[in-house]
Amino acid sequence: ASPCPRMENEVLGYVRVERDQSQGYRGLKTIKSFWPGEVVLREKPLMTAPSSAFADRLVAYSNLESKKKGLVLQSTFTQFEVDDRGIDVTDEALAQALEVAKQRGAEVSPADARCVLQRCMAGSLVDKLHLYEQASLLRHSCAADVEFVYSGGMGAITARHNIAPQKFIGQWLLEDFNLWWKGANVRSAALQKAGLLNQECMCERCQGEDTCRAIKCPGCFDFQKRLKAARLLMLMSSSAVLMASFVGWCRVTIGGFTARMQGEVRRNGKLKRWRCNVCDFNASDVAVEGYIKIENKL
């Protein structure tokens, strides 16, 4: 069970820190509903550094009071979360940072210095210069429920659209914004490469219908044949009923024949099924794998 979040630095907040079982990490979960533009969490940073340089972070940590030092080490990211993301500091970089920090009057043990830098690196996806007890735990969501902004000495998480209670929230954390328009498989690969996830993304958007990824429906492969046959039939008969039965799923109008476009097959992340928007094609990932390879080559 995750520890209860501390509230000393929180000015306004309606979230709690809880483990997201589907994603496998702790995140921020709402305790009420929110309208677009409403503040979800406003929090004063535990630590502020003038830059993301290791030495600057160590000096900033050294200048904290003992209570805040303890919060930085114990109440932000756990060591498991840091290790799970693959975040580490090389011995050479640590030694250089400690030497520069010592020249500037900072006294930090090597063990504490490593822990501080690891937690700052983990939180830098949200804010590169500030470390928060709760806001730094904001994770990625392909749906981008919220937006984080630092202003006036406070970090604020604001709702971008309607958010229901008891929902894990997240913002877009990938540096490449073009990935927003890519399929769920491409986004998941990028998230894993960036160390944000160790598995397929389980956010609401990725588990729904993938509107950014589709292939031509293999179940509609005889579309052109049916269309040509229907046109030929139109020359021989004016019976719309006959044409409709011959073409099947194609539309027929009184003034002539209008066929539907060939269907697109899209994947539902939760069901892990591919469905056509025109015909009744419904297949698994394994069944569609070959069609995807052909589509990529084309």
Side-chain angles (χ1 to χ4, degrees):
S2 60
C4 295
R6 299 175 183 271
M7 309 297 284
E8 290 92 338
N9 297 295
E10 183 179 302
V11 174
L12 174 65
Y14 300 100
V15 297
R16 64 171 176 264
V17 178
E18 190 173 310
R19 182 173 177 80
D20 185 347
Q21 298 296 339
S22 64
Q23 298 280 44
Y25 55 71
R26 289 190 305 154
L28 301 181
K29 191 174 186 179
T30 60
I31 60 176
K32 65 178 286 291
S33 59
F34 295 92
W35 296 100
E38 190 175 357
V39 174
V40 179
L41 172 70
R42 185 181 290 118
E43 185 180 8
K44 180 184 289 187
L46 289 173
M47 190 180 89
T48 300
S51 77
S52 59
F54 285 176
D56 285 342
R57 287 172 170 170
L58 293 181
V59 172
Y61 171 78
S62 178
N63 292 332
L64 295 177
E65 57 185 35
S66 58
K67 182 179 180 180
K68 285 193 173 182
K69 286 182 179 179
L71 291 175
V72 168
L73 297 177
Q74 301 173 14
S75 297
T76 52
F77 297 91
T78 65
Q79 193 60 42
F80 173 80
E81 289 170 332
V82 169
D83 295 339
D84 188 55
R85 296 192 191 189
I87 298 174
D88 199 6
V89 183
T90 64
D91 293 338
E92 182 181 358
L94 180 64
Q96 292 177 353
L98 283 169
E99 181 63 27
V100 174
K102 185 176 181 180
Q103 294 175 2
R104 294 163 59 180
E107 293 291 337
V108 185
S109 68
D112 284 352
R114 185 181 296 275
C115 289
V116 169
L117 294 178
Q118 287 176 327
R119 282 149 181 78
C120 288
M121 292 167 67
S124 64
L125 291 170
V126 176
D127 192 328
K128 295 183 181 299
L129 303 182
H130 308 92
L131 186 65
Y132 305 85
E133 191 172 357
Q134 291 190 20
S136 291
L137 295 175
L138 185 65
R139 298 301 296 261
H140 174 88
S141 171
C142 295
D145 309 297
V146 298
E147 180 181 16
F148 175 88
V149 175
Y150 176 81
S151 178
M154 304 289 289
I157 297 175
T158 306
R160 297 183 65 249
H161 49 71
N162 292 331
I163 301 177
Q166 304 299 314
K167 184 181 186 299
F168 284 100
I169 56 174
Q171 73 168 349
W172 183 267
L173 294 180
L174 288 169
E175 293 184 1
D176 186 359
F177 288 98
N178 291 323
L179 290 169
W180 173 271
W181 306 107
K182 303 295 184 180
N185 61 322
V186 177
R187 296 196 303 271
S188 284
L191 288 167
Q192 293 176 52
K193 184 177 181 180
L196 294 172
L197 288 177
N198 291 328
Q199 60 182 21
E200 177 186 352
C201 183
M202 302 294 289
C203 76
E204 181 180 4
R205 181 184 176 195
C206 288
Q207 292 307 296
E209 182 179 286
D210 193 346
T211 57
C212 293
R213 181 191 185 196
I215 61 173
K216 293 181 180 179
C217 178
C220 301
F221 70 95
D222 59 343
F223 169 77
Q224 293 297 332
K225 292 182 179 179
R226 293 188 180 190
L227 180 59
K228 289 180 180 179
R231 287 174 175 169
L232 179 61
L233 191 61
M234 287 176 63
L235 299 176
M236 299 183 297
S237 172
S238 60
S239 173
V241 176
L242 179 61
M243 284 188 290
S245 62
F246 187 83
V247 178
W249 43 261
C250 292
R251 291 178 180 171
V252 177
T253 62
I254 296 177
F257 170 76
T258 303
R260 289 185 183 178
M261 297 297 292
Q262 185 174 9
E264 288 187 340
V265 176
R266 295 175 180 174
R267 184 178 187 270
N268 184 290
K270 184 176 182 179
L271 300 177
K272 301 188 184 305
R273 304 287 298 182
W274 295 74
R275 293 178 174 177
C276 178
N277 63 343
V278 172
C279 71
D280 58 356
F281 181 86
N282 186 337
S284 65
D285 287 337
V286 176
V288 178
E289 184 177 359
Y291 297 113
I292 295 176
K293 290 181 179 179
I294 296 174
E295 188 84 1
N296 291 334
K297 289 181 180 180
L298 295 177

